[in-house]
Amino acid sequence: MVVFLTTFTLLMMLPLIYAVSMSLKPNSELWKFPPNILPVNPTMKHYRDLFSLMSDTWVPMIRYIFNTLFITVVGTFGHITLASMAAYPLSKYKFPGSKTIFVIIRTSLMFSGAVLAIPNYLIINSLHLIDSYAAVILPAFSTTLGLYLMKQFMDQMVPISLLESADLDGASEWRKFRMIVMPLVKPATATLLILETQRLWMTGATPYIYSEEKKTLSYALSQISTSGIARQGVGAAIQILMMLPPLIVFIISQSKVIETMSTSGIKE
């Protein structure tokens, strides 16, 4: 079993290992066939070239980084907050139209982002939010995946009897939500944190943002990596740099998921 799990883990890590290997290979090894998995003569030249190119951009690279961090942090926080607050009444209270609302939410998950691109653009344009951070952040708030995930998780992890006990103690709805519900759904919160951070960090936001000083890091780095075959090594280094923040968030959040994967102990 140990051998099987070790082998399976190495296979899962192979794409990451290969990506790091490509970023460390000199140009003479990038086009070698058959390719080597590990570099024979590893070099940091591609990373040095990347930072040199980043320092020569018209807009300072720190501006692109700030734009991406701002969109990612605000978009992720807003999405988790609104999804949690909307999922709570849908999960724990029966009101007219609640089932219909949930069916609409579940149906919306079948539509891909490409299908919704034009309607989203028309809505953002009608609100006069084109070429602003809000053009990317507000659609992130309204993504239905988080609402669906939170609702389903609250159904399983938050017992009605626990909320009824809080009612007997005189707890307000806000106190129940903040002190009881949210601590019990930490695994779902960590999952949303991982998904939204990855999605927003990698966004180019090109359909909505035109000003160069408001564009994201993904857009800036993509312009460098698509400048010709001579920069394929730099492109591999870009992939590693773009992969690192979501990977760090995943590692941190994964531990939170493992620690909190337990029910409240109350069965109905």
Side-chain angles (χ1 to χ4, degrees), residues 6-18:
T6 302
T7 304
F8 189 74
T9 301
L10 291 175
L11 289 175
M12 294 293 291
M13 293 181 61
L14 188 58
L16 178 60
I17 295 173
Y18 189 73

Side-chain angles (χ1 to χ4, degrees), residues 185-205:
V185 296
K186 283 183 180 179
T189 302
T191 301
L192 282 184
L193 178 64
I194 294 169
L195 294 176
E196 281 300 297
T197 298
Q198 181 182 18
R199 186 176 72 86
L200 292 174
W201 178 260
M202 299 297 292
T203 185

Side-chain angles (χ1 to χ4, degrees), residues 162-235:
L162 188 60
L163 298 178
E164 291 174 346
S165 299
D167 286 332
L168 294 176
D169 292 335
S172 63
E173 292 295 337
W174 173 247
R175 186 175 180 84
K176 288 190 293 183
F177 174 75
R178 184 170 57 90
M179 303 297 293
I180 298 176
V181 176
M182 291 308 295
L184 290 176
V185 296
K186 283 183 180 179
T189 302
T191 301
L192 282 184
L193 178 64
I194 294 169
L195 294 176
E196 281 300 297
T197 298
Q198 181 182 18
R199 186 176 72 86
L200 292 174
W201 178 260
M202 299 297 292
T203 185
T206 49
Y208 306 112
I209 296 179
Y210 304 144
S211 301
E212 192 69 25
E213 63 272 9
K214 295 180 182 178
K215 290 183 177 178
T216 61
L217 182 63
S218 176
Y219 167 82
L221 295 180
S222 68
Q223 299 304 301
I224 296 176
S225 63
T226 57
S227 299
I229 60 174
R231 291 184 179 174
Q232 292 305 301
V234 175

Side-chain angles (χ1 to χ4, degrees), residues 54-265:
M54 289 169 62
S55 63
D56 292 336
T57 55
W58 175 54
V59 175
M61 191 57 61
I62 191 66
R63 181 67 187 185
Y64 293 117
I65 296 174
F66 168 80
N67 295 339
T68 306
L69 282 175
F70 181 78
I71 290 173
T72 301
V73 172
V74 176
T76 301
F77 177 78
H79 176 65
I80 293 174
T81 302
L82 292 180
S84 304
M85 295 177 69
Y88 175 52
L90 279 176
S91 174
K92 297 308 171 186
Y93 293 95
K94 305 301 179 184
F95 54 89
S98 60
K99 291 185 178 180
T100 303
I101 293 174
F102 184 65
V103 169
I104 295 174
I105 292 170
R106 189 171 55 195
T107 304
S108 70
L109 297 176
M110 296 189 297
F111 297 95
S112 67
V115 174
L116 301 174
I118 294 178
N120 283 342
Y121 182 87
L122 293 176
I123 293 172
I124 294 298
N125 185 56
S126 65
L127 295 174
H128 305 288
L129 296 176
I130 294 296
D131 201 24
S132 68
Y133 296 130
V136 183
I137 293 173
L138 289 183
F141 286 179
S142 60
T143 305
T144 54
L145 175 61
L147 177 53
Y148 176 81
L149 180 64
M150 280 293 186
K151 194 269 182 187
Q152 294 297 92
F153 213 90
M154 288 179 185
D155 287 346
Q156 300 176 12
M157 299 290 285
V158 183
I160 290 293
S161 56
L162 188 60
L163 298 178
E164 291 174 346
S165 299
D167 286 332
L168 294 176
D169 292 335
S172 63
E173 292 295 337
W174 173 247
R175 186 175 180 84
K176 288 190 293 183
F177 174 75
R178 184 170 57 90
M179 303 297 293
I180 298 176
V181 176
M182 291 308 295
L184 290 176
V185 296
K186 283 183 180 179
T189 302
T191 301
L192 282 184
L193 178 64
I194 294 169
L195 294 176
E196 281 300 297
T197 298
Q198 181 182 18
R199 186 176 72 86
L200 292 174
W201 178 260
M202 299 297 292
T203 185
T206 49
Y208 306 112
I209 296 179
Y210 304 144
S211 301
E212 192 69 25
E213 63 272 9
K214 295 180 182 178
K215 290 183 177 178
T216 61
L217 182 63
S218 176
Y219 167 82
L221 295 180
S222 68
Q223 299 304 301
I224 296 176
S225 63
T226 57
S227 299
I229 60 174
R231 291 184 179 174
Q232 292 305 301
V234 175
I238 289 173
Q239 291 180 354
I240 298 301
L241 290 180
M242 291 301 295
M243 191 188 306
L244 280 178
L247 183 61
I248 293 172
V249 171
F250 172 77
I251 293 173
I252 296 174
S253 301
Q254 185 186 38
S255 63
K256 300 297 181 183
V257 172
I258 294 174
E259 290 174 4
T260 55
M261 284 300 290
S262 60
T263 62
S264 62

